[in-house]
Amino acid sequence: MAEDQPHLCIQMSDPNTNGIPSRRPSSLDLAGRGGSVLTFYNISYRVNTKTGFLCCQKTATKEVLRDVKLLDILAARKDPHGLSGDILINGAPQPANFKCTSGYVVQDDVVMGTLTVRENLTFSAALRLPKSVKEQEKKERVNQIIKELGLSKVADSKVGTQFTRGVSGGERKRTNIGMELITDPAILFLDEPTTGLDASTANAVLLLLKRMAKQGKTVIFSIHQPRYSIFRLFDNLTLLAAGRVLYHGPAQHAIRYFESIGYQCEPYNNPADFFLDVINGDSTAVAMSKSDEANTAENTEERTECDTTLAEQLAEKYSDSTYYQETKAQLENISLGNKKKTKSVFRQITYANSFLHQLKWVSRRAFKNLIGNPQASIAQVCVTAFLGLVVGAIFFGLKEDSTGLQNRLVSLGLKPTVEAFFTMMFTLMMVSYTATSMALAIAAGQSVVAVANLLMTVTFVFMILFSGLLVNLTSVLPWLSWLKYLSIPRYGMTALQINELKGMNFCGTINNTVLSRFIYEQMDQMECTGDGYLKSQGIDASTWGLWQNHVALACMSLIFLTIAYLKLHFMKKFS
């Protein structure tokens, strides 16, 4: 790794530091504007990749960046363990809470489609502005953002989902930008802000960003193959390939630089397309520069090697250029002494609001989303009501005889008393919550959905086997019987059987010719009462025998939720 690589700098012009170290005067004030300076020096980033199967996996280290920069790294959104080099803000180390104080507009939408533009911005303001800011001030901030982004006409319109029509693509993108502008960040990052937009809308979004930059807001973004009307808006340009910097400097000087190293841009060609062609080795200029070479790569492997070599050559030419030297010279006065003085500042991430405040607003948004998208809820209610009517009709008027006993072992939960009804509902609720908690514990931290599904399926199969539904648990071999204590359905089945059959008497109209062989086999003696059947199943029909199942389910829920929390707490939180 070369030690003489340049500092790469993007000038910031937002005078509001917003928790970022204050700026010291430097020779970088080329435009005479205030703001912050983001400096990144000798940045390298490596990731560990695994190949092979479970027991034969090999770990290899892949160098993604070498002495350069990446948007996610500058925005403190990558795992710092693979990062080497220095990222400074106004000569000071990047604060630990930089991720919270800067703005980052992701490539995919983060707005809730069932909410209005104003409601989405209000949600962002409620979570990201501290409680010391009064509600009226938050509303004024939301209204200011709506006005600045030109969203006044659609402020109270729903953003829209794949099922319901909403605002346009450009208005949706501006809403995403507004979500980050709520805190008035000193630095605004955007990951390919033109993705999914047509040419005209993309141009409008970039004009908005340009206007923000002229007003003193800092804007740093990645973009792929922009049209010329967008390219001419750029102030500074950085070109990357094969993890190396190929150019960094004024955007309008890039063509002149490539001409100086032998690549001529054809008339009427889009500069952005020309740069990509040069980097990828596809342009006429590149083809002409290779005309003296004797051999040409003939297969994919050779082509990749050739392209890598071209990228390395372009990187070496840049390191020898005057742009490199000028950038390095301009940034030398940002000394390491300034960095050491402020290295102990901002040791931990601080959040604007408490956990309970965040939980309240997230829950409120989830409820609004449910109300704003009633189709699914109405369908669920209709299906549930229909199935309830069908099942109720089938099991309506069960008799207290042998067939009634057998039918109750299919249904469970038909005793027509208020106490039995609410006991049944509480039991079903506990079973549902415990199963959901187990699913969370298994799925949390799993990056492959198929693996999570497989683990869930295997677990539930074992639980059903030892639930008492398919086999009499008293007949299970002793060395396997302990597995019944891990079965969620068993606790539910046991509680429901006690609730339904305790105190029932099926002897009144019993008829041996009608009594099925199944009932005979289940009863040790000719017991024709509910208590007798429960005893034959090894079930304690006492009050504690009923409620111990609910206690067990509650304990299992607590254990599963704790496991899920710990897995989420210690999981890698960077991409």
Side-chain angles (χ1 to χ4, degrees):
M1 191 179 303
E3 290 297 328
D4 59 343
Q5 285 287 338
H7 290 75
L8 302 181
C9 172
I10 297 176
Q11 184 167 347
M12 305 304 165
S13 51
D14 183 4
N16 180 10
T17 60
N18 195 12
I20 290 177
S22 59
R23 183 182 180 181
R24 296 173 179 79
S26 74
S27 61
L28 290 173
D29 292 323
L30 303 178
R33 300 181 298 179
S36 303
V37 173
L38 173 64
T39 307
F40 39 103
Y41 171 70
N42 213 24
I43 295 297
S44 295
Y45 190 72
R46 298 174 177 86
V47 295
N48 293 326
T49 58
K50 295 183 179 180
T51 57
F53 294 99
L54 294 177
C55 57
C56 303
Q57 282 190 340
K58 295 182 180 179
T59 302
T61 301
K62 180 180 180 181
E63 189 174 44
V64 179
L65 295 176
R66 182 160 49 144
D67 305 332
V68 292
K69 73 99 186 176
L70 185 69
L71 192 66
D72 285 354
I73 291 178
L74 296 182
R77 291 172 182 264
K78 281 290 183 184
D79 187 356
H81 292 94
L83 177 66
S84 63
D86 298 319
I87 301 178
L88 308 178
I89 307 295
N90 296 329
Q94 191 180 55
N97 61 344
F98 182 72
K99 180 179 178 180
C100 300
T101 57
S102 62
Y104 189 97
V105 181
V106 296
Q107 186 173 349
D108 300 321
D109 290 336
V110 295
V111 292
M112 186 74 75
T114 54
L115 303 184
T116 66
V117 171
R118 189 185 304 278
E119 287 172 338
N120 275 291
L121 295 177
T122 300
F123 173 78
S124 179
L127 291 184
R128 307 185 72 174
L129 295 178
K131 296 187 72 173
S132 58
V133 180
K134 297 180 181 180
E135 290 299 321
Q136 183 60 33
E137 294 176 350
K138 291 180 181 180
K139 290 181 180 179
E140 292 175 357
R141 179 60 181 162
V142 169
N143 292 332
Q144 179 186 356
I145 294 296
I146 290 174
K147 184 178 179 180
E148 288 179 357
L149 298 181
L151 295 171
S152 300
K153 292 184 179 180
V154 295
D156 297 309
S157 301
K158 289 186 177 181
V159 174
T161 65
Q162 55 182 342
F163 303 110
T164 58
R165 185 176 177 83
V167 299
S168 67
E171 291 164 342
R172 189 184 188 96
K173 180 63 70 174
R174 278 181 277 163
T175 303
N176 278 275
I177 296 173
M179 296 278 283
E180 299 300 317
L181 293 180
I182 284 292
T183 58
D184 195 18
I187 305 173
L188 177 63
F189 298 93
L190 302 98
D191 184 12
E192 299 202 21
T194 59
T195 299
L197 303 180
D198 59 69
S200 177
T201 305
N203 190 64
V205 170
L206 266 295
L207 285 173
L208 168 67
L209 297 179
K210 181 67 173 181
R211 186 168 67 250
M212 292 166 52
K214 286 184 176 180
Q215 293 172 352
K217 179 68 64 180
T218 297
V219 180
I220 307 173
F221 61 90
S222 61
I223 193 168
H224 181 73
Q225 208 163 0
R227 56 190 271 188
Y228 176 70
S229 61
I230 291 177
F231 175 80
R232 63 188 180 88
L233 299 176
F234 299 168
D235 295 318
N236 293 293
L237 176 68
T238 301
L239 298 176
L240 303 177
R244 300 291 301 274
V245 172
L246 308 187
Y247 175 80
H248 175 80
Q252 307 308 321
H253 295 178
I255 293 181
R256 186 190 312 165
Y257 164 74
F258 277 96
E259 288 177 350
S260 68
I261 61 174
Y263 296 97
Q264 185 72 31
C265 182
E266 298 167 334
Y268 308 108
N269 190 8
N270 181 7
D273 294 335
F274 167 71
F275 300 145
L276 288 175
D277 288 342
V278 170
I279 293 171
N280 295 326
D282 295 331
S283 71
T284 304
V286 175
M288 292 175 62
S289 69
K290 294 180 179 179
S291 59
D292 294 334
E293 297 181 3
N295 299 318
T296 304
E298 297 180 358
N299 54 46
T300 305
E301 200 170 299
E302 292 175 347
R303 175 61 183 274
T304 302
E305 183 179 352
C306 179
D307 290 344
T308 303
T309 303
L310 176 61
E312 295 288 342
Q313 291 174 355
L314 292 173
E316 292 299 327
K317 289 181 180 179
Y318 169 71
S319 63
D320 295 333
S321 68
T322 57
Y323 293 98
Y324 173 96
Q325 302 300 332
E326 290 175 0
T327 302
K328 182 179 178 180
Q330 289 175 353
L331 296 170
E332 280 180 348
N333 61 356
I334 302 180
S335 63
L336 294 177
N338 291 334
K339 182 177 69 172
K340 292 179 180 179
K341 291 178 183 178
T342 55
K343 195 156 189 172
S344 61
V345 183
F346 303 111
R347 289 185 176 177
Q348 61 182 359
I349 296 177
T350 55
Y351 296 96
N353 293 285
S354 65
F355 171 78
L356 291 179
H357 179 83
Q358 296 176 45
L359 179 63
K360 180 185 74 172
W361 275 91
V362 171
S363 301
R364 180 182 296 182
R365 186 177 71 158
F367 179 74
K368 285 186 176 182
N369 179 53
L370 186 65
I371 299 300
N373 187 25
Q375 293 88 347
S377 302
I378 293 175
Q380 288 179 345
V381 171
C382 292
V383 170
T384 303
F386 175 75
L387 292 178
L389 290 173
V390 172
V391 174
I394 293 175
F395 293 100
F396 179 73
L398 288 180
K399 298 179 180 179
E400 295 186 3
D401 55 13
S402 59
T403 58
L405 174 59
Q406 186 173 3
N407 287 335
R408 280 176 169 83
L409 297 177
V410 173
S411 56
L412 290 178
L414 300 172
K415 186 181 289 186
T417 64
V418 174
E419 179 184 0
F421 172 77
F422 282 106
T423 301
M424 177 200 69
M425 293 299 296
F426 179 69
T427 302
L428 295 177
M429 181 186 72
M430 289 299 298
V431 170
S432 177
Y433 283 157
T434 308
T436 303
S437 302
M438 187 189 73
L440 287 174
I442 293 176
Q446 283 290 344
S447 58
V448 183
V449 177
V451 174
N453 287 334
L454 178 62
L455 294 175
M456 289 294 302
T457 301
V458 172
T459 304
F460 274 115
V461 166
F462 274 97
M463 287 188 172
I464 291 295
L465 289 176
F466 291 92
S467 66
L469 181 64
L470 303 177
V471 64
N472 191 320
L473 295 178
T474 58
S475 64
V476 178
L477 295 175
W479 63 279
L480 284 176
S481 61
W482 63 273
L483 290 171
K484 66 184 180 182
Y485 296 109
L486 303 178
S487 174
I488 295 174
R490 169 186 171 266
Y491 293 110
M493 283 285 296
T494 301
L496 290 174
Q497 289 183 79
I498 297 173
N499 181 58
E500 177 66 22
L501 300 178
K502 184 178 180 181
M504 297 290 287
N505 187 346
F506 305 97
C507 299
T509 58
I510 190 167
N511 185 341
N512 287 341
T513 61
V514 178
L515 188 63
S516 68
R517 185 176 298 275
F518 171 76
I519 301 299
Y520 271 113
E521 293 175 352
Q522 294 297 315
M523 298 183 177
D524 294 332
Q525 302 174 351
M526 279 298 297
E527 292 285 357
C528 54
T529 63
D531 294 274
Y533 173 78
L534 293 174
K535 184 178 180 181
S536 71
Q537 298 294 307
I539 296 175
D540 179 11
S542 65
T543 302
W544 170 242
L546 170 65
W547 293 106
Q548 68 179 352
N549 298 286
H550 302 91
V551 172
L553 290 173
C555 293
M556 292 179 75
S557 296
L558 184 61
I559 292 173
F560 286 135
L561 290 175
T562 302
I563 293 173
Y565 170 79
L566 292 175
K567 290 176 70 174
L568 292 174
H569 181 75
F570 291 106
M571 73 180 293
K572 186 170 69 172
K573 295 180 175 60
F574 295 91
S575 58

